[in-house]
Amino acid sequence: MHAALIGQLTIDGLLVGGVYALSALGLNVIFGVMRIVNLAHGEFVIGAALLSAVLFERWHANLFVVLPLAFVLAFGLGALIQRAFLRRLPEDLASAEATSLLMTFGLSYFFVGAWLTFFSGNFRSVPYLTGAWTLGPFSIAQARLAAFVASGIIAVLLALLLRYTALGRSIRATSQNVQGALACGVDVERVRTLSFALGTAIAAASGCLLILIFTVNPETGANVTLASFAVIALGGLGNYAGTLVGAAVIGLAVSFTGYFATAQVAQAAPYVLFILVLLLRPAGILGKSGA
Amino acid sequence: MKGRTVIAFAIVAAVLALVPQFLNGYARSLLYITVLYVALAYAWNVISGYAGYLSFGQVTFFGLGAYTTAISVTRGNLPWWEGALLGGVISAALAVPLGYLMLRLRGAFFALGMLGLAQTLQVVANSWQLTGGGSGLFLPPGSNALPAYYWTLAIGLLTFAATLFIDRSAFGLRLQALREDEQVASTLGVQVTTTKVWAFVISAIVPGLLGGGYAWYLTYVEPVSAFATRFDLQAVAMTILGGIGTVWGPLIGGVLMSQVSEMLAAQYPQAYLMIFGGLVVVLLVFLPRGIAPAVSAALARHRARAAQGHR
Amino acid sequence: MRRTRLQVIAAGVAATAFFFVLGGPRLAASAAEKPIVIGASISETGAYADSGKLALQGYQLWVKQRNAAGGLLGRQIELKTYDDASDPATAVRLYQRLIDQDHVDLIVGPYSSAVTASVANVAQQHHMPMISPEVASTAPFERGLTEIFQGIQIASDYVEGPIAIAKEKGFKTIAVTGEDTLFPRSVVAGVDDLAKKMGMTVVFNQLYPHNASDYSSIVEKMKQSNPDIVIAASYLPDSVGLLRAMKQANFAPKLVYEGVGPTELSFGTQNGKDADGVMGTGNWSAELKTQGNASFVKAFTSTFGHPPDYHAAANYASLEVLGEAVKRVGSLDSAKLRDQLATLTMPTVMGTYKVDPKTGIQQGYKSLVLQWVNGKQFVIYPKALAQQPPSLPFVSWSTR
């Protein structure tokens, strides 16, 4: 096979993988602290994507101005959802998991409907940085590179936040052991709200970057949710470094199957990988998701 | 008691069988859709309500049934109901190995795994020659909704009867035991895997059978609408409204919600998604156990008061 | 305990049955002064929302104009529409509702081939003739249905133009792609045969699924097959996505054709300069010298504040035909209307309406090839109607 072609597919795949990674990091923060699998995650990603597309259409708003705006809005929305609904989950863990799943499932459709109302069902994209740089035999799409770099910066900021701030320490403590965190005087309720808000805000940020690459409409959120979960299933729940690896694998899988098989296979690749990984190593994942 | 149940069941069945004779096509269609959703909700209730494995991908089997029927009719020249029956058989046959595999997953992973499965099958239907790819398959036109309605009604009644059985049998108790705690259930001698695979098969065979009626009703099967996750959303919302893991929940929730959604869907399809989704969330907060248990409790109180009055 | 419960349930069933019976047949109003009601469902939300809206406005404009001119058979006309959210099952129920519950007098087709395929069966059952202005695929017409009539050019004709142009320029190799659904499939179905006839080769032929969002891999694949021309049977969102992926892959074949996507005006706004040189199939153009076209464009633009596209024109033309059929029949008798629609030949804004009386497949309307040049659409094919010759080859991305 042509080395240049392999290189090109690898570049395309890895650059998209960066955005998947960011979206999955958001999910992972939420899961780590709250043990909630947020099925509405893709809707937050898509909501922000559509918002930035509309703002661009109307006022040619620069995406890197829109991104902080979407981040803040989503942070508020996330905090609100946690305060209003998720906080009221039942006490015992088994039914809390079931209820939270049903709740976020309901939320996801609520937001699909909301985005349809606000943004209509139109597919949107942002004609921003549509060009490409040529680098030897490769062509590097400007939008993809920008999205990748921005995702990387946000991921690094998140890592710094988790490692060096008081909030970050509380988040990590709560993720590891709720009782322990409580004993150390962590306000767990507050940490949960902030984590859900933070996870939602990261989803929104990844949406603003995703729209640089993809064409989306309100009904494409489920695909994003599933792809993000595929990333997490590959990388391990609560494992941040694993998330990056998982995202790279998904990005490459989509890019390579799209070329060597068909676009249909590429569309199914994240789900198939997701199911395969779950089935091949359910124990490992179960160990982390149970209890 | 048993005899009365059977009589009541027969009366309800007879009424539902006769009603369409007095209805126009639209009302028949609406009745069909209502019965369809109630039946799907009952099927979902077995694996997700009684066994506690939340599935957001039972539509996989519904689509499978629809496609099996369409293929049997267009390529095999079978009568549609034979195709629909075959759809049920294939769903059941597939559900056994699938159940053994997927039910190793718990909670969110099972739920998402099923969602992914539905998506994958949609992609398969989209790319396979046999299924007509993205063009889908046309069934002979000129059919009307009645045969599909009776088919769906029969399966719905059977599913209801099965639920009645599950609710009162040792099998149902075993399911509920493993919903509460699989390990404890296992030490108590419940064959955990066999029990939950059985539940999964029941929850698969029903949509598998119903899909065939749907294909006949629409006369056209294509990947996007055959594997639409909305079917699962509806089943979930209806069951939660009525009461998850109860005998009457899917019926109450299904009938109520079909009417509401029909009123909304015609004018505000996007608001309808918002309302279904929002309702799930609100119900989980304020009425997490649904209407059926609340009604039972009210009835029990009423009877207790009446009994006191007698004394 | 159980008996009480069963009583409650029985009461519930009875109440539900009552609801259905009440919601059932009502006396049809037949007073002459009542307006004639035309029913349709349109996809205002869902995947096809963009074009669906323009389609609806086409219907609305005709009704408005007709009413201003005294209506039909001396009665005013009312348009009753629902939104089917691009879902076939919903559309089926909505048409039944229109016919059985709302007692509309006439129906016209919904948007998109998949939705129409299911709805056609309802029209058949109720013996309600239906012109479908949005179904370019012939498959729904080849099932022995007698009540549906195609109100738009057939899809298999679409690629004839770009291939003829390519042939003239001496281009040899073709890459074919498109969305894998009913309509785009029927657009590209005939490419192989046509190419052979023209002495050209298809070097790549692969479709992408509905709701695809990333086109980079399929574009990379096309690029590797190194074709002279790209034929993509695309709607608007995928035509934009494909074009962008082509630019990012620095892939510029000599001719780019993207189905019906480029005929939409927002193709230009979404792609800016990148749209230049892209061809698409228009079934209609504001420049066409068809009967009433100029005044249609003017009235449409002043009513809705934006110019019409071919969806609007096709839907408008379908009502022109239906109105004429009603006038000729002199009543709303559906059997007579059916026969009239099957045999009628008349000029509309789309061209001359004429269908095959057996299948209802359109034979009169001819499709046009449009090309974006300097941010505007021009008709370039067929030559008789061309506003200017094709501007070829497609300009490479680096020299724009």
Side-chain angles (χ1 to χ4, degrees):
Chain A
M1 202 49 61
H2 230 251
L5 171 64
I6 302 278
Q8 183 66 51
L9 292 174
T10 308
I11 290 170
D12 286 345
L14 287 180
L15 293 184
V16 177
V19 182
Y20 283 137
L22 188 58
S23 162
L25 280 178
L27 263 181
N28 236 340
V29 168
I30 292 173
F31 182 83
V33 171
M34 306 177 67
R35 294 287 182 266
I36 280 178
V37 167
N38 181 15
L39 296 179
H41 194 72
E43 274 62 48
F44 297 132
V45 175
I46 293 298
L50 292 170
L51 177 72
S52 63
V54 166
L55 291 180
F56 188 88
E57 275 165 33
R58 290 272 164 79
W59 296 291
H60 274 254
N62 186 314
L63 277 163
F64 298 99
V65 177
V66 173
L67 195 144
L69 174 73
F71 189 91
V72 171
L73 284 177
F75 194 92
L77 183 66
L80 192 74
I81 289 170
Q82 153 70 11
R83 288 264 147 197
F85 304 115
L86 294 170
R87 205 168 48 133
R88 300 168 192 252
L89 292 176
E91 283 302 315
D92 71 299
L93 277 165
S95 63
E97 186 187 20
T99 313
S100 71
L101 267 178
L102 289 169
M103 205 175 256
T104 56
F105 184 66
L107 279 173
S108 84
Y109 274 92
F110 177 81
F111 283 110
V112 171
W115 302 157
L116 276 170
T117 312
F118 292 146
F119 301 115
S120 86
N122 296 348
F123 275 85
R124 289 174 201 274
S125 56
V126 175
Y128 187 71
L129 295 175
T130 56
W133 287 299
T134 311
L135 194 80
F138 307 124
S139 133
I140 295 174
Q142 291 170 6
R144 276 174 199 250
L145 188 64
F148 181 82
V149 170
S151 296
I153 292 171
I154 295 170
V156 168
L157 287 176
L158 177 68
L160 293 176
L161 176 103
L162 288 177
R163 186 155 291 270
Y164 295 111
T165 66
L167 172 65
R169 276 191 290 274
S170 315
I171 287 179
R172 280 186 293 138
T174 314
S175 300
Q176 275 159 18
N177 187 334
V178 177
Q179 297 308 323
L182 273 171
C184 295
V186 173
D187 181 351
V188 169
E189 211 41 68
R190 186 172 155 269
V191 169
R192 283 183 175 151
T193 302
L194 289 175
S195 309
F196 194 80
L198 185 64
T200 310
I202 292 172
S206 72
C208 292
L209 300 171
L210 190 81
I211 193 77
L212 289 176
I213 306 177
F214 288 168
T215 315
V216 302
N217 88 339
E219 289 162 314
T220 46
N223 291 350
V224 177
T225 306
L226 278 169
S228 306
F229 270 100
V231 167
I232 288 191
L234 283 161
L237 263 173
N239 181 345
Y240 295 96
T243 304
L244 299 182
V245 178
V249 171
I250 294 289
L252 291 173
V254 171
S255 154
F256 275 81
T257 51
Y259 187 90
F260 291 107
T262 62
Q264 278 84 351
V265 176
Q267 202 179 36
Y271 321 136
V272 174
L273 268 177
F274 175 62
I275 293 173
L276 281 181
V277 170
L278 288 184
L279 293 176
L280 292 178
R281 42 169 294 206
I285 290 159
L286 275 183
K288 281 173 187 165
S289 76
Chain B
M1 206 51 90
K2 268 233 161 98
R4 278 218 189 94
T5 310
V6 171
I7 292 168
F9 192 76
I11 292 173
V12 171
V15 169
L16 284 172
L18 285 174
V19 165
Q21 302 305 328
F22 306 100
L23 299 180
N24 66 26
Y26 167 63
R28 275 179 190 173
S29 215
L30 191 52
L31 186 62
Y32 163 70
I33 288 287
T34 306
V35 175
L36 174 69
Y37 279 134
V38 170
L40 285 173
Y42 269 110
W44 185 81
N45 194 33
V46 175
I47 185 68
S48 302
Y50 284 97
Y53 276 79
L54 295 178
S55 166
F56 301 136
Q58 292 308 108
V59 72
T60 305
F61 301 104
F62 186 75
L64 202 63
Y67 266 104
T68 307
T69 307
I71 292 167
S72 309
V73 172
T74 56
R75 308 210 195 270
N77 275 325
L78 292 180
W80 74 269
W81 54 269
E82 280 184 26
L85 218 55
L86 192 63
V89 171
I90 291 178
S91 293
L94 200 70
V96 174
L98 217 54
Y100 273 101
L101 283 173
M102 299 299 280
L103 291 164
R104 289 158 68 199
L105 308 172
R106 291 240 52 178
F109 290 97
F110 176 75
L112 282 162
M114 288 304 297
L115 194 63
L117 193 67
Q119 300 278 351
T120 309
L121 245 77
Q122 185 179 52
V123 172
V124 170
N126 212 330
S127 23
W128 200 2
Q129 207 62 40
L130 183 70
T131 53
S135 308
L137 294 168
F138 290 102
L139 283 86
S143 64
N144 72 56
L146 269 191
Y149 169 71
Y150 284 120
W151 174 260
T152 306
L153 179 62
I155 293 159
L157 289 170
L158 281 175
T159 315
F160 173 77
T163 305
L164 217 54
F165 165 77
I166 288 171
D167 197 63
R168 296 169 188 190
S169 69
F171 174 66
L173 284 177
R174 287 199 290 272
L175 280 183
Q176 289 170 57
L178 68 88
R179 176 179 70 195
E180 297 310 323
D181 193 323
E182 270 187 37
Q183 272 174 356
V184 172
S186 170
T187 50
L188 290 174
V190 175
Q191 297 278 340
V192 172
T193 308
T194 316
T195 308
K196 60 193 188 187
V197 168
W198 264 112
F200 188 69
V201 169
I202 295 172
S203 291
I205 196 168
V206 174
L209 291 164
L210 293 171
Y214 189 71
W216 186 247
Y217 165 77
L218 268 192
T219 75
Y220 177 52
V221 179
E222 50 103 31
V224 179
S225 51
F227 293 99
T229 43
R230 278 183 199 193
F231 283 108
D232 282 303
L233 171 71
Q234 301 247 11
V236 171
M238 288 167 174
T239 312
I240 292 176
L241 174 65
I244 187 168
T246 65
V247 173
W248 301 109
L251 180 68
I252 298 171
V255 170
L256 277 177
M257 250 185 190
S258 308
Q259 307 312 318
V260 175
S261 88
E262 186 62 21
M263 283 189 271
L264 293 170
Q267 295 298 353
Y268 313 103
Q270 70 275 45
Y272 135 97
L273 281 182
M274 279 174 85
I275 287 166
F276 262 67
L279 196 67
V280 169
V281 177
V282 171
L283 281 170
L284 285 168
V285 172
F286 295 104
L287 196 65
R289 295 175 60 218
I291 293 175
V295 171
S296 303
L299 280 177
R301 270 200 305 278
H302 176 75
R303 255 192 311 277
R305 226 175 291 138
Q308 266 174 359
H310 276 299
R311 215 182 284 158
Chain C
M1 151 116 187
R2 256 171 216 153
R3 200 175 60 185
T4 331
R5 247 201 217 162
L6 285 174
Q7 281 165 353
V8 172
I9 293 302
V13 168
T16 313
F18 190 63
F19 172 91
F20 280 109
V21 173
L22 272 191
R26 289 191 191 122
L27 287 177
S30 56
E33 65 274 14
K34 286 227 164 144
I36 295 176
V37 185
I38 303 177
S41 87
I42 289 284
S43 312
E44 287 176 83
T45 53
Y48 306 122
D50 252 354
S51 321
K53 209 157 281 169
L54 280 151
L56 175 62
Q57 290 171 342
Y59 282 153
Q60 287 167 338
L61 179 66
W62 183 83
V63 170
K64 187 182 152 211
Q65 289 182 338
R66 199 66 228 174
N67 280 337
L72 207 53
L73 304 178
R75 292 159 68 180
Q76 287 287 291
I77 307 160
E78 191 187 307
L79 186 65
K80 187 153 187 70
T81 58
Y82 294 115
D83 180 354
D84 58 42
S86 311
D87 174 46
T90 308
V92 162
R93 218 152 61 251
L94 291 177
Y95 271 87
Q96 285 174 328
R97 182 177 178 140
L98 285 165
I99 296 169
D100 292 328
Q101 195 94 328
D102 304 336
H103 300 291
V104 298
D105 301 290
L106 303 164
I107 54 171
V108 278
Y111 186 76
S112 106
S113 294
V115 170
T116 310
S118 303
V119 166
N121 188 47
V122 178
Q124 187 73 17
Q125 279 168 28
H126 290 82
H127 303 292
M128 296 278 277
M130 178 172 89
I131 308 184
S132 288
E134 301 291 347
V135 186
S137 156
T138 53
F141 298 89
E142 287 159 350
R143 312 159 67 198
L145 295 168
T146 54
E147 304 283 345
I148 64 167
F149 304 95
Q150 194 167 29
I152 201 157
Q153 290 82 345
I154 58 176
S156 45
D157 275 2
Y158 284 20
V159 293
E160 213 182 287
I163 289 184
I165 293 168
K167 162 95 179 161
E168 200 164 285
K169 295 277 169 187
F171 301 153
K172 286 271 179 284
T173 49
I174 311 175
V176 179
T177 189
E179 187 187 281
D180 194 356
T181 51
L182 190 55
F183 158 69
R185 260 181 174 238
S186 44
V187 169
V188 298
V191 172
D192 275 314
D193 289 339
L194 198 60
K196 216 171 280 167
K197 220 165 65 189
M198 298 288 210
M200 300 163 89
T201 349
V202 174
V203 291
F204 174 87
N205 191 343
Q206 214 167 78
L207 306 179
Y208 47 83
H210 176 70
N211 271 5
S213 48
D214 185 7
Y215 300 90
S216 60
S217 291
I218 197 145
V219 161
E220 192 60 43
K221 243 168 154 173
M222 283 201 279
K223 186 181 174 186
Q224 297 292 328
S225 73
N226 196 21
D228 290 333
I229 79 173
V230 164
I231 301 248
S234 307
Y235 291 100
L236 180 64
D238 39 333
S239 64
V240 174
L242 267 180
L243 189 66
R244 194 159 303 161
M246 286 170 69
K247 181 177 179 188
Q248 291 176 342
N250 198 15
F251 169 44
K254 293 174 188 144
L255 185 157
V256 177
Y257 167 85
E258 289 203 298
V260 297
T263 56
E264 317 262 351
L265 296 174
S266 50
F267 185 83
T269 51
Q270 289 203 33
N271 287 305
K273 276 194 190 122
D274 297 345
D276 279 351
V278 178
M279 295 178 191
T281 292
N283 298 307
W284 172 87
S285 151
E287 310 294 331
L288 275 185
K289 300 282 175 272
T290 49
Q291 185 171 312
N293 201 28
S295 61
F296 161 69
V297 174
K298 216 171 129 203
F300 192 98
T301 313
S302 72
T303 306
F304 300 109
H306 55 87
D309 73 340
Y310 83 89
H311 300 288
N315 284 43
Y316 181 88
S318 292
L319 283 184
E320 283 189 282
V321 174
L322 186 62
E324 178 65 22
V326 169
K327 224 157 66 184
R328 290 194 188 188
V329 169
S331 76
L332 299 172
D333 184 299
S334 36
K336 285 182 189 155
L337 272 177
R338 195 229 145 257
D339 295 342
Q340 189 63 244
L341 288 172
T343 52
L344 186 66
T345 302
M346 70 167 280
T348 71
V349 295
M350 291 286 284
T352 305
Y353 169 91
K354 182 182 185 309
V355 295
D356 171 20
K358 254 203 175 130
T359 56
I361 290 174
Q362 183 58 236
Q363 294 174 327
Y365 297 165
K366 295 283 173 249
S367 58
L368 316 164
V369 180
L370 305 169
Q371 186 178 32
W372 283 87
V373 181
N374 290 329
K376 273 188 157 165
Q377 289 176 333
F378 294 93
V379 178
I380 55 165
Y381 186 91
K383 278 191 183 141
L385 300 170
Q387 294 169 271
Q388 58 181 55
S391 151
L392 286 167
F394 193 74
V395 181
S396 76
W397 296 110
S398 53
T399 54
R400 280 176 183 242

